[in-house]
């Protein structure tokens, strides 16, 4: 417990300080301070701690472990957990070079995460986020469920192996608050006659469902054949135990409707979109639709695309919120006017700001201000440069860091380890890993050279100070004394290198810092060498003048001057870069 004191916030010091009272050692070992405080107070203290700290606290004593890992505390802690925006970029090839999948977390203070999410492999695709768990689609025969904060994960067999045309966007992941069950859903493309196995085209008539902990998937038929393209283009969300996605409806005002699938009763229902058409509906160009979760509500965003540049939006981005599911009542949440250089979706509202992509290759956040849903984009802030990743591939979710456990599901027959090698062990990522290793080597070399040159400068100053008494010219001696202080390379403080892998945004910044550090090193060493050479030149010239005058000046020892001259000459080879 004592070792935890410096690392834990002030609230938890109460727990550890009391246990440090003077007691017999045996009593201190057997008695835990948790017994002396009300359980409600203990939970209130623990609720304020991040998951990483709570995991360390589980090792303090058995009762802390029992409380923190208990299902009641896990559920309560989840309700208090801060929300993050999760931006996911799947792996892709740019100019023939592979770039791994990666994720950026944005906290409530709008700070970007630095480290890579360890449970995300370089070839993974993100299918959904729920209660701190991620559902990841792999290129093997499995799906991966992983806890974002604890690092726990398990593999599940896909419902159909080697399914041609399968796509990670056809999978979704959700939790039903009443049954307390986690379920994965999969839109299975219709079979084509004559094919040996199902083959996805543009329609599906079956939703496959897997309940975490079961041994097999189940097929649920849809009321009618539905569009897979709608799912791919507009997305799907699971909120409060119901899955929502858009379907085609040619007679509706928006030519779309919302289909729902209840994860508890596993039944379908349809919700009509607002009867009011968007005011720029006939502005030309195709109209895009996205279904999103914003502030825990189902929202549909729509915007017109530029006829000549389909990747650009024109007009207004309109966001409608489903205010009442039973009455199918919608309210317009935002009506955002923006310049025509924004890239279509996904648009994520996090706190009181919206995240939008622009064609300049950057991601921005904008504060949402306005009245009666007419919204202005104010206080623009650049979040990140998403190159080399392509903007159309970015996914966005709201997520939390939780203590939800996965080990309770590991005994089910559906849990499997993938047969192929995972992640960075694959040969395709050897070049990427080698590049990271080279960056670390250059950091080490730079730090080593800085240490070496600092030691050399200290040696120089000592040797020059020892030679100064041999210089009789007061002017030269004073000038050298003033310049000696410049033989002191002022290198930046050396910060410890992170053990964990940086995410791609932090890697780019780290490489920029490395290049700047190496450039600064060269600049400092050039200036130091120039000063050192100047001092040696002055000392050498002064001693030569004194040697020439020594024959007529009995007060100067020719022998001492020769020794000083030799000492100056020993500095010359070391002074060279």
């Amino acid at each position: 417990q004592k070792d935890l004191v410096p690392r834990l916030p002030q609230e938890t010091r109460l727990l550890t300080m009391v246990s440090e009272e003077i007691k017999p050692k045996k009593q201190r070992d057997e008695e835990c301070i948790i017994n002396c405080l009300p359980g409600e107070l203990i939970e209130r203290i623990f609720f304020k701690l991040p998951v990483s700290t709570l995991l360390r606290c589980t090792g303090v004593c058995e009762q802390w472990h029992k409380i923190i890992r208990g299902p009641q505390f896990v559920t309560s802690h989840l309700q208090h957990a801060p929300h993050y925006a999760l931006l996911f970029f799947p792996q892709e090839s740019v100019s023939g070079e592979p770039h791994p999948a990666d994720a950026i977390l944005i906290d409530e203070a709008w700070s970007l995460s630095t480290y890579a999410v360890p449970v995300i492999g370089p070839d993974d695709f993100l299918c959904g986020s729920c209660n701190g768990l991620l559902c990841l689609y792999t290129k093997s025969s499995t799906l991966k469920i992983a806890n974002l904060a604890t690092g726990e994960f398990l593999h599940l067999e896909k419902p159909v192996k080697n399914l041609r045309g399968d796509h990670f966007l056809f999978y979704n992941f959700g939790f039903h608050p009443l049954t307390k069950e986690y379920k994965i859903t999969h839109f299975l493309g219709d079979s084509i006659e004559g094919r040996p196995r199902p083959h996805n085209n543009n329609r599906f008539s079956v939703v496959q469902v897997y309940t975490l902990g079961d041994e097999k998937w189940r097929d649920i038929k849809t009321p009618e054949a539905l569009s897979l393209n709608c799912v791919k283009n507009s997305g799907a969300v699971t909120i409060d135990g119901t899955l929502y996605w858009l379907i085609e409806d040619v007679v509706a005002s928006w030519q779309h409707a919302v289909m729902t699938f209840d994860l508890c009763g596993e039944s379908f229902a349809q919700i009509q979109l607002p009867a009011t058409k968007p005011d720029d509906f006939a502005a030309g160009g195709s109209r895009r639709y996205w279904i999103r979760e914003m502030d825990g509500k189902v929202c549909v965003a729509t915007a017109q695309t530029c006829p000549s540049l389909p990747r650009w939006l024109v007009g207004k981005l309109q966001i409608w919120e489903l205010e009442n599911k039973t009455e199918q009542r919608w309210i317009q949440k935002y009506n955002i006017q923006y310049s025509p250089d924004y890239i279509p979706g996904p648009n994520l509202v996090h706190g009181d700001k919206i995240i939008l992509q622009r064609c300049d290759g950057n991601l921005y956040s904008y504060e949402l201000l306005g009245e009666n849903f007419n919204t202005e984009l104010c206080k623009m802030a650049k979040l990140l440069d998403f190159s080399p990743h392509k903007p159309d591939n970015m996914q966005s979710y709201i997520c939390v860091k939780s203590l939800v456990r996965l080990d309770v599901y590991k005994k089910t027959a559906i849990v499997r380890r993938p047969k192929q090698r995972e992640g960075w062990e694959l040969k395709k990522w050897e070049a990427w890993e080698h590049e990271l290793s080279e960056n670390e080597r250059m950091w080490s070399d730079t730090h080593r050279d800085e240490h070496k040159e600092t030691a050399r400068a200290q040696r120089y100053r000592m040797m020059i100070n020892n030679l100064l008494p041999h210089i009789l010219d007061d002017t030269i001696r004073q000038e050298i004394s003033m310049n000696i202080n410049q033989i002191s390379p002022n290198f930046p403080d050396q910060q410890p290198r992170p053990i964990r892998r940086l995410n791609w945004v932090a890697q780019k910044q780290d490489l920029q810092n490395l290049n700047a550090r190496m450039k600064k090193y060269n600049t400092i060493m050039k200036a130091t060498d120039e000063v050192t050479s100047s001092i040696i030149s002055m000392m050498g010239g002064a001693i030569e003048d004194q040697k020439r005058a020594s024959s007529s000046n009995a007060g100067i020892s020719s022998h001492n001057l020769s020794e000083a001259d030799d000492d100056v000459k020993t500095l010359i080879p070391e002074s060279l870069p």
Side-chain angles (χ1 to χ4, degrees), residues 110 353-355 363-367 378-381 383:
W110 288 87
K353 298 178 182 179
I354 190 169
I355 299 175
L363 201 69
Y364 296 90
S365 69
Y366 298 84
E367 188 173 341
C378 304
K379 296 183 180 179
M380 177 183 74
L383 292 176

Side-chain angles (χ1 to χ4, degrees), residues 246 252-258 271-278 289 300 302 318-322 328-332:
L246 292 176
S253 58
W254 290 26
Q255 298 181 350
H256 287 79
V258 176
I271 298 176
Q272 294 301 315
L273 289 170
T276 305
K277 278 189 176 183
Y289 299 89
V300 173
T302 178
Q318 301 183 34
I319 300 177
W320 292 74
E321 178 186 289
L322 182 59
Q328 301 192 15
R329 184 171 68 247
W330 298 80
I331 59 170
Q332 190 161 3

